[in-house]
Amino acid sequence: AQKVTQAQTEISVVEKEDVTLDCVYETRDTTYYLFWYKQPPSGELVFLIRRNSFDEQNEISGRYSWNFQKSTSSFNFTITASQVVDSAVYFCALTNNNAGNMLTFGGGTRLMVKP
Amino acid sequence: DGGITQSPKYLFRKEGQNVTLSCEQNLNHDAMYWYRQDPGQGLRLIYYSQIVNDFQKGDIAEGYSVSREKKESFPLTVTSAQKNPTAFYLCASGVGASSSYEQYFGPGTRLTVT
């Protein structure tokens, strides 16, 4: 069985603050894939990043960065200098080659960025 | 524009009626997925299809049915056997045949059954 936990259900910050969204996962497989998706108020999920279990390099894309730590089974997401447009629900997700093509989602973190 | 379309955005039905939600993609993706999202929760997989004329049940397939007659289309029927059908339904297509590849989502259909 696999599981994704996003302990923060809601976070509220003021514009320009940095914010980190936590994601902790559980899996027994050595090969697995982690994802982050953004769900703005319009409803559709937007793909942000995919990371496989053999690639522990942290990644930066503009104001977004991801910290993957296998030792703590975490894949945290940081937004630097947050903007109002970052307000959304963010989902962390996990799959592996034995998951029967199933992506397991965390419960999501609602981020509210106030002007 | 390449992407996934779902229609309609909002759908209302009376209890006991079957309803079909459409999903079309022009991304030339082999894999397609249907998810259900309930308020304040993550997504749960209903059905997926890796290739035309083939599909598999997900975690919560009971009360739903699908077909995959064309690569571009993956309609979902919510039957009267689904005990709690009111939810937000999201369709996705996948870059690769397995879930290890990123998925691209449509705008969703919000179904309300009264």
Side-chain angles (χ1 to χ4, degrees), chain A residues 65-80:
Chain A
S65 62
W66 291 269
N67 182 4
F68 177 29
Q69 292 204 336
K70 286 176 78 169
S71 60
T72 56
S73 297
S74 65
F75 187 42
N76 297 338
F77 173 32
T78 298
I79 301 175
T80 304

Side-chain angles (χ1 to χ4, degrees), chain A residues 33 35 37 39 41-47 49-50 89 91 95-97 99-108 110, chain B residues 9 31 33 35 37 40-43 45 48 50 57-59 88 90 97-108:
Chain A
Y33 304 85
F35 301 83
Y37 286 89
Q39 186 176 38
S42 58
E44 68 188 85
L45 270 72
V46 178
F47 166 75
I49 189 170
R50 169 183 181 265
V89 181
F91 290 99
T95 192
N96 59 56
N97 290 336
N101 227 34
M102 294 189 189
L103 196 57
T104 298
F105 283 84
R110 180 177 298 278
Chain B
K9 181 77 172 171
Y33 305 82
Y35 293 92
Q37 185 179 25
Q41 296 189 30
L43 279 67
L45 182 66
Y48 67 93
Q50 293 174 284
K57 293 181 180 180
D59 286 328
F88 187 51
L90 285 154
S98 84
S99 61
S100 62
Y101 295 91
E102 57 265 34
Q103 297 177 21
Y104 292 88
F105 286 79

